[in-house]
PDB file of all heavy atoms in Angstrom:
ATOM      1  N   ILE A 122      32.145 -26.462 192.140  1.00 97.00           N
ATOM      2  CA  ILE A 122      31.174 -25.249 191.940  1.00 97.00           C
ATOM      3  C   ILE A 122      29.764 -25.719 192.388  1.00 97.00           C
ATOM      4  O   ILE A 122      29.152 -24.762 192.922  1.00 97.00           O
ATOM      5  CB  ILE A 122      31.371 -24.933 190.410  1.00 97.00           C
ATOM      6  CG1 ILE A 122      32.769 -24.539 190.016  1.00 97.00           C
ATOM      7  CG2 ILE A 122      30.378 -23.846 190.092  1.00 97.00           C
ATOM      8  CD1 ILE A 122      32.993 -24.793 188.517  1.00 97.00           C
ATOM      9  N   LEU A 123      29.433 -26.834 192.101  1.00 97.00           N
ATOM     10  CA  LEU A 123      28.082 -27.370 192.564  1.00 97.00           C
ATOM     11  C   LEU A 123      27.902 -27.196 194.058  1.00 97.00           C
ATOM     12  O   LEU A 123      26.882 -26.837 194.556  1.00 97.00           O
ATOM     13  CB  LEU A 123      27.782 -28.726 192.091  1.00 97.00           C
ATOM     14  CG  LEU A 123      27.456 -28.941 190.644  1.00 97.00           C
ATOM     15  CD1 LEU A 123      27.389 -30.436 190.316  1.00 97.00           C
ATOM     16  CD2 LEU A 123      26.211 -28.239 190.204  1.00 97.00           C
ATOM     17  N   ALA A 124      29.021 -27.513 194.816  1.00 97.00           N
ATOM     18  CA  ALA A 124      28.989 -27.397 196.202  1.00 97.00           C
ATOM     19  C   ALA A 124      28.886 -26.005 196.652  1.00 97.00           C
ATOM     20  O   ALA A 124      28.103 -25.632 197.584  1.00 97.00           O
ATOM     21  CB  ALA A 124      30.268 -28.147 196.795  1.00 97.00           C
ATOM     22  N   SER A 125      29.766 -25.179 196.015  1.00 96.00           N
ATOM     23  CA  SER A 125      29.793 -23.778 196.425  1.00 96.00           C
ATOM     24  C   SER A 125      28.487 -23.042 196.165  1.00 96.00           C
ATOM     25  O   SER A 125      28.092 -22.022 196.865  1.00 96.00           O
ATOM     26  CB  SER A 125      30.900 -22.965 195.750  1.00 96.00           C
ATOM     27  OG  SER A 125      31.027 -21.712 196.132  1.00 96.00           O
ATOM     28  N   ALA A 126      27.743 -23.575 195.204  1.00 95.00           N
ATOM     29  CA  ALA A 126      26.458 -22.918 194.774  1.00 95.00           C
ATOM     30  C   ALA A 126      25.239 -23.629 195.220  1.00 95.00           C
ATOM     31  O   ALA A 126      24.158 -23.242 194.893  1.00 95.00           O
ATOM     32  CB  ALA A 126      26.408 -22.715 193.268  1.00 95.00           C
ATOM     33  N   ALA A 127      25.428 -24.645 196.120  1.00 95.00           N
ATOM     34  CA  ALA A 127      24.309 -25.453 196.585  1.00 95.00           C
ATOM     35  C   ALA A 127      23.383 -24.660 197.629  1.00 95.00           C
ATOM     36  O   ALA A 127      23.633 -24.777 198.831  1.00 95.00           O
ATOM     37  CB  ALA A 127      24.777 -26.693 197.212  1.00 95.00           C
ATOM     38  N   ILE A 128      22.544 -23.908 197.155  1.00 92.00           N
ATOM     39  CA  ILE A 128      21.665 -23.081 198.007  1.00 92.00           C
ATOM     40  C   ILE A 128      20.943 -23.917 198.978  1.00 92.00           C
ATOM     41  O   ILE A 128      20.208 -24.973 198.578  1.00 92.00           O
ATOM     42  CB  ILE A 128      20.582 -22.295 197.240  1.00 92.00           C
ATOM     43  CG1 ILE A 128      21.303 -21.425 196.117  1.00 92.00           C
ATOM     44  CG2 ILE A 128      19.721 -21.413 198.104  1.00 92.00           C
ATOM     45  CD1 ILE A 128      20.377 -20.795 195.189  1.00 92.00           C
ATOM     46  N   PRO A 129      21.058 -23.744 200.280  1.00 90.00           N
ATOM     47  CA  PRO A 129      20.382 -24.629 201.296  1.00 90.00           C
ATOM     48  C   PRO A 129      18.930 -24.792 200.997  1.00 90.00           C
ATOM     49  O   PRO A 129      18.177 -23.834 200.725  1.00 90.00           O
ATOM     50  CB  PRO A 129      20.652 -24.011 202.541  1.00 90.00           C
ATOM     51  CG  PRO A 129      21.834 -23.195 202.416  1.00 90.00           C
ATOM     52  CD  PRO A 129      21.802 -22.722 200.956  1.00 90.00           C
ATOM     53  N   ALA A 130      18.380 -26.022 201.030  1.00 86.00           N
ATOM     54  CA  ALA A 130      16.984 -26.427 200.817  1.00 86.00           C
ATOM     55  C   ALA A 130      16.608 -26.413 199.342  1.00 86.00           C
ATOM     56  O   ALA A 130      15.798 -27.205 198.995  1.00 86.00           O
ATOM     57  CB  ALA A 130      16.038 -25.492 201.613  1.00 86.00           C
ATOM     58  N   VAL A 131      17.205 -25.591 198.547  1.00 90.00           N
ATOM     59  CA  VAL A 131      16.838 -25.473 197.185  1.00 90.00           C
ATOM     60  C   VAL A 131      17.665 -26.547 196.317  1.00 90.00           C
ATOM     61  O   VAL A 131      17.009 -27.333 195.569  1.00 90.00           O
ATOM     62  CB  VAL A 131      17.069 -24.069 196.521  1.00 90.00           C
ATOM     63  CG1 VAL A 131      16.723 -23.958 195.077  1.00 90.00           C
ATOM     64  CG2 VAL A 131      16.242 -23.041 197.322  1.00 90.00           C
ATOM     65  N   LEU A 132      18.946 -26.540 196.489  1.00 92.00           N
ATOM     66  CA  LEU A 132      19.775 -27.506 195.780  1.00 92.00           C
ATOM     67  C   LEU A 132      20.401 -28.438 196.708  1.00 92.00           C
ATOM     68  O   LEU A 132      20.679 -28.129 197.806  1.00 92.00           O
ATOM     69  CB  LEU A 132      20.876 -26.837 194.901  1.00 92.00           C
ATOM     70  CG  LEU A 132      20.345 -25.819 193.814  1.00 92.00           C
ATOM     71  CD1 LEU A 132      21.493 -25.017 193.265  1.00 92.00           C
ATOM     72  CD2 LEU A 132      19.635 -26.688 192.695  1.00 92.00           C
ATOM     73  N   PRO A 133      20.685 -29.672 196.313  1.00 93.00           N
ATOM     74  CA  PRO A 133      21.231 -30.689 197.295  1.00 93.00           C
ATOM     75  C   PRO A 133      22.733 -30.390 197.652  1.00 93.00           C
ATOM     76  O   PRO A 133      23.458 -29.931 196.878  1.00 93.00           O
ATOM     77  CB  PRO A 133      21.036 -32.052 196.418  1.00 93.00           C
ATOM     78  CG  PRO A 133      21.177 -31.535 195.007  1.00 93.00           C
ATOM     79  CD  PRO A 133      20.473 -30.252 194.911  1.00 93.00           C
ATOM     80  N   PRO A 134      23.116 -30.864 198.883  1.00 95.00           N
ATOM     81  CA  PRO A 134      24.528 -30.766 199.269  1.00 95.00           C
ATOM     82  C   PRO A 134      25.380 -31.627 198.309  1.00 95.00           C
ATOM     83  O   PRO A 134      24.799 -32.586 197.635  1.00 95.00           O
ATOM     84  CB  PRO A 134      24.533 -31.327 200.718  1.00 95.00           C
ATOM     85  CG  PRO A 134      23.139 -31.253 201.123  1.00 95.00           C
ATOM     86  CD  PRO A 134      22.254 -31.366 199.925  1.00 95.00           C
ATOM     87  N   VAL A 135      26.644 -31.447 198.339  1.00 96.00           N
ATOM     88  CA  VAL A 135      27.536 -32.172 197.395  1.00 96.00           C
ATOM     89  C   VAL A 135      28.528 -32.875 198.201  1.00 96.00           C
ATOM     90  O   VAL A 135      29.226 -32.293 199.145  1.00 96.00           O
ATOM     91  CB  VAL A 135      28.210 -31.231 196.367  1.00 96.00           C
ATOM     92  CG1 VAL A 135      29.295 -32.041 195.630  1.00 96.00           C
ATOM     93  CG2 VAL A 135      27.199 -30.593 195.406  1.00 96.00           C
ATOM     94  N   CYS A 136      28.712 -34.151 197.985  1.00 95.00           N
ATOM     95  CA  CYS A 136      29.764 -34.956 198.771  1.00 95.00           C
ATOM     96  C   CYS A 136      31.117 -34.555 198.222  1.00 95.00           C
ATOM     97  O   CYS A 136      31.383 -34.503 197.010  1.00 95.00           O
ATOM     98  CB  CYS A 136      29.498 -36.478 198.490  1.00 95.00           C
ATOM     99  SG  CYS A 136      28.021 -37.112 199.321  1.00 95.00           S
ATOM    100  N   TRP A 137      31.977 -34.276 199.233  1.00 95.00           N
ATOM    101  CA  TRP A 137      33.369 -33.910 198.873  1.00 95.00           C
ATOM    102  C   TRP A 137      34.252 -34.661 199.990  1.00 95.00           C
ATOM    103  O   TRP A 137      34.293 -34.246 201.082  1.00 95.00           O
ATOM    104  CB  TRP A 137      33.584 -32.394 199.023  1.00 95.00           C
ATOM    105  CG  TRP A 137      34.853 -31.962 198.579  1.00 95.00           C
ATOM    106  CD1 TRP A 137      36.040 -31.801 199.270  1.00 95.00           C
ATOM    107  CD2 TRP A 137      35.275 -31.538 197.255  1.00 95.00           C
ATOM    108  NE1 TRP A 137      37.015 -31.419 198.526  1.00 95.00           N
ATOM    109  CE2 TRP A 137      36.560 -31.195 197.180  1.00 95.00           C
ATOM    110  CE3 TRP A 137      34.555 -31.475 196.008  1.00 95.00           C
ATOM    111  CZ2 TRP A 137      37.243 -30.704 196.006  1.00 95.00           C
ATOM    112  CZ3 TRP A 137      35.166 -30.991 194.921  1.00 95.00           C
ATOM    113  CH2 TRP A 137      36.545 -30.692 194.842  1.00 95.00           C
ATOM    114  N   GLY A 138      34.808 -35.746 199.542  1.00 92.00           N
ATOM    115  CA  GLY A 138      35.545 -36.639 200.548  1.00 92.00           C
ATOM    116  C   GLY A 138      34.487 -37.201 201.502  1.00 92.00           C
ATOM    117  O   GLY A 138      33.512 -37.835 201.103  1.00 92.00           O
ATOM    118  N   ASP A 139      34.869 -37.051 202.813  1.00 91.00           N
ATOM    119  CA  ASP A 139      33.894 -37.476 203.803  1.00 91.00           C
ATOM    120  C   ASP A 139      32.879 -36.507 204.269  1.00 91.00           C
ATOM    121  O   ASP A 139      32.155 -36.702 205.207  1.00 91.00           O
ATOM    122  CB  ASP A 139      34.726 -37.838 205.026  1.00 91.00           C
ATOM    123  CG  ASP A 139      35.708 -39.046 204.634  1.00 91.00           C
ATOM    124  OD1 ASP A 139      35.353 -39.938 203.834  1.00 91.00           O
ATOM    125  OD2 ASP A 139      36.705 -39.116 205.282  1.00 91.00           O
ATOM    126  N   GLU A 140      32.794 -35.313 203.606  1.00 94.00           N
ATOM    127  CA  GLU A 140      31.851 -34.373 204.058  1.00 94.00           C
ATOM    128  C   GLU A 140      30.864 -34.020 203.004  1.00 94.00           C
ATOM    129  O   GLU A 140      30.916 -34.375 201.844  1.00 94.00           O
ATOM    130  CB  GLU A 140      32.721 -32.974 204.282  1.00 94.00           C
ATOM    131  CG  GLU A 140      33.695 -33.082 205.380  1.00 94.00           C
ATOM    132  CD  GLU A 140      34.480 -31.728 205.606  1.00 94.00           C
ATOM    133  OE1 GLU A 140      34.804 -31.115 204.610  1.00 94.00           O
ATOM    134  OE2 GLU A 140      34.726 -31.525 206.762  1.00 94.00           O
ATOM    135  N   GLU A 141      29.729 -33.338 203.476  1.00 95.00           N
ATOM    136  CA  GLU A 141      28.773 -32.856 202.553  1.00 95.00           C
ATOM    137  C   GLU A 141      28.814 -31.261 202.636  1.00 95.00           C
ATOM    138  O   GLU A 141      28.832 -30.693 203.686  1.00 95.00           O
ATOM    139  CB  GLU A 141      27.346 -33.255 202.937  1.00 95.00           C
ATOM    140  CG  GLU A 141      27.082 -34.711 202.655  1.00 95.00           C
ATOM    141  CD  GLU A 141      25.580 -35.053 202.723  1.00 95.00           C
ATOM    142  OE1 GLU A 141      24.978 -34.514 203.578  1.00 95.00           O
ATOM    143  OE2 GLU A 141      25.091 -35.855 201.875  1.00 95.00           O
ATOM    144  N   LEU A 142      28.939 -30.702 201.401  1.00 96.00           N
ATOM    145  CA  LEU A 142      29.211 -29.278 201.380  1.00 96.00           C
ATOM    146  C   LEU A 142      27.975 -28.538 200.678  1.00 96.00           C
ATOM    147  O   LEU A 142      27.256 -29.131 199.903  1.00 96.00           O
ATOM    148  CB  LEU A 142      30.481 -28.952 200.582  1.00 96.00           C
ATOM    149  CG  LEU A 142      31.755 -29.565 201.053  1.00 96.00           C
ATOM    150  CD1 LEU A 142      32.926 -29.125 200.118  1.00 96.00           C
ATOM    151  CD2 LEU A 142      31.969 -29.232 202.488  1.00 96.00           C
ATOM    152  N   ILE A 143      27.748 -27.370 201.235  1.00 95.00           N
ATOM    153  CA  ILE A 143      26.713 -26.449 200.716  1.00 95.00           C
ATOM    154  C   ILE A 143      27.268 -25.076 200.366  1.00 95.00           C
ATOM    155  O   ILE A 143      28.477 -24.767 200.549  1.00 95.00           O
ATOM    156  CB  ILE A 143      25.441 -26.430 201.634  1.00 95.00           C
ATOM    157  CG1 ILE A 143      25.923 -25.815 202.987  1.00 95.00           C
ATOM    158  CG2 ILE A 143      24.745 -27.788 201.788  1.00 95.00           C
ATOM    159  CD1 ILE A 143      24.876 -25.656 203.994  1.00 95.00           C
ATOM    160  N   ASP A 144      26.383 -24.258 199.900  1.00 94.00           N
ATOM    161  CA  ASP A 144      26.693 -22.879 199.590  1.00 94.00           C
ATOM    162  C   ASP A 144      27.577 -22.190 200.545  1.00 94.00           C
ATOM    163  O   ASP A 144      27.214 -21.941 201.697  1.00 94.00           O
ATOM    164  CB  ASP A 144      25.388 -22.092 199.448  1.00 94.00           C
ATOM    165  CG  ASP A 144      25.493 -20.791 198.601  1.00 94.00           C
ATOM    166  OD1 ASP A 144      26.521 -20.059 198.879  1.00 94.00           O
ATOM    167  OD2 ASP A 144      24.592 -20.444 197.889  1.00 94.00           O
ATOM    168  N   GLY A 145      28.879 -21.682 200.146  1.00 91.00           N
ATOM    169  CA  GLY A 145      29.742 -21.098 200.997  1.00 91.00           C
ATOM    170  C   GLY A 145      29.213 -19.665 201.440  1.00 91.00           C
ATOM    171  O   GLY A 145      29.734 -19.119 202.432  1.00 91.00           O
ATOM    172  N   GLY A 146      28.202 -19.217 200.837  1.00 90.00           N
ATOM    173  CA  GLY A 146      27.620 -17.846 201.216  1.00 90.00           C
ATOM    174  C   GLY A 146      27.003 -17.794 202.585  1.00 90.00           C
ATOM    175  O   GLY A 146      26.722 -16.784 203.081  1.00 90.00           O
ATOM    176  N   ILE A 147      26.605 -19.013 203.037  1.00 88.00           N
ATOM    177  CA  ILE A 147      25.968 -19.026 204.367  1.00 88.00           C
ATOM    178  C   ILE A 147      26.976 -18.642 205.488  1.00 88.00           C
ATOM    179  O   ILE A 147      26.644 -18.206 206.651  1.00 88.00           O
ATOM    180  CB  ILE A 147      25.338 -20.333 204.700  1.00 88.00           C
ATOM    181  CG1 ILE A 147      26.385 -21.485 204.869  1.00 88.00           C
ATOM    182  CG2 ILE A 147      24.312 -20.660 203.601  1.00 88.00           C
ATOM    183  CD1 ILE A 147      25.785 -22.695 205.474  1.00 88.00           C
ATOM    184  N   THR A 148      28.305 -18.744 205.203  1.00 86.00           N
ATOM    185  CA  THR A 148      29.269 -18.339 206.310  1.00 86.00           C
ATOM    186  C   THR A 148      30.163 -17.214 205.863  1.00 86.00           C
ATOM    187  O   THR A 148      30.687 -16.544 206.683  1.00 86.00           O
ATOM    188  CB  THR A 148      30.215 -19.575 206.602  1.00 86.00           C
ATOM    189  OG1 THR A 148      30.806 -20.076 205.407  1.00 86.00           O
ATOM    190  CG2 THR A 148      29.383 -20.682 207.202  1.00 86.00           C
ATOM    191  N   ASN A 149      30.321 -16.981 204.522  1.00 85.00           N
ATOM    192  CA  ASN A 149      31.217 -15.977 204.040  1.00 85.00           C
ATOM    193  C   ASN A 149      30.804 -15.436 202.715  1.00 85.00           C
ATOM    194  O   ASN A 149      31.113 -16.098 201.691  1.00 85.00           O
ATOM    195  CB  ASN A 149      32.659 -16.497 204.014  1.00 85.00           C
ATOM    196  CG  ASN A 149      33.728 -15.385 203.910  1.00 85.00           C
ATOM    197  OD1 ASN A 149      33.455 -14.293 203.607  1.00 85.00           O
ATOM    198  ND2 ASN A 149      35.018 -15.826 204.187  1.00 85.00           N
ATOM    199  N   THR A 150      30.025 -14.372 202.642  1.00 85.00           N
ATOM    200  CA  THR A 150      29.458 -13.906 201.443  1.00 85.00           C
ATOM    201  C   THR A 150      30.512 -13.205 200.487  1.00 85.00           C
ATOM    202  O   THR A 150      30.376 -13.259 199.246  1.00 85.00           O
ATOM    203  CB  THR A 150      28.388 -12.882 201.794  1.00 85.00           C
ATOM    204  OG1 THR A 150      28.931 -11.803 202.508  1.00 85.00           O
ATOM    205  CG2 THR A 150      27.207 -13.489 202.497  1.00 85.00           C
ATOM    206  N   THR A 151      31.637 -12.754 201.062  1.00 84.00           N
ATOM    207  CA  THR A 151      32.609 -12.095 200.231  1.00 84.00           C
ATOM    208  C   THR A 151      33.993 -12.664 200.771  1.00 84.00           C
ATOM    209  O   THR A 151      34.537 -12.038 201.654  1.00 84.00           O
ATOM    210  CB  THR A 151      32.566 -10.584 200.308  1.00 84.00           C
ATOM    211  OG1 THR A 151      31.249 -10.183 200.131  1.00 84.00           O
ATOM    212  CG2 THR A 151      33.591  -9.920 199.324  1.00 84.00           C
ATOM    213  N   PRO A 152      34.483 -13.742 200.182  1.00 84.00           N
ATOM    214  CA  PRO A 152      35.655 -14.505 200.788  1.00 84.00           C
ATOM    215  C   PRO A 152      36.972 -13.859 200.520  1.00 84.00           C
ATOM    216  O   PRO A 152      37.906 -14.556 200.125  1.00 84.00           O
ATOM    217  CB  PRO A 152      35.522 -15.772 200.122  1.00 84.00           C
ATOM    218  CG  PRO A 152      34.891 -15.568 198.828  1.00 84.00           C
ATOM    219  CD  PRO A 152      33.913 -14.439 199.038  1.00 84.00           C
TER     220      PRO A 152
END
Side-chain angles (χ1 to χ4, degrees):
I122 300 157
L123 287 173
S125 184
I128 304 169
V131 180
L132 295 171
V135 174
C136 291
W137 189 270
D139 296 331
E140 297 181 323
E141 286 194 324
L142 303 182
I143 56 174
D144 195 321
I147 67 168
T148 57
N149 196 343
T150 55
T151 310

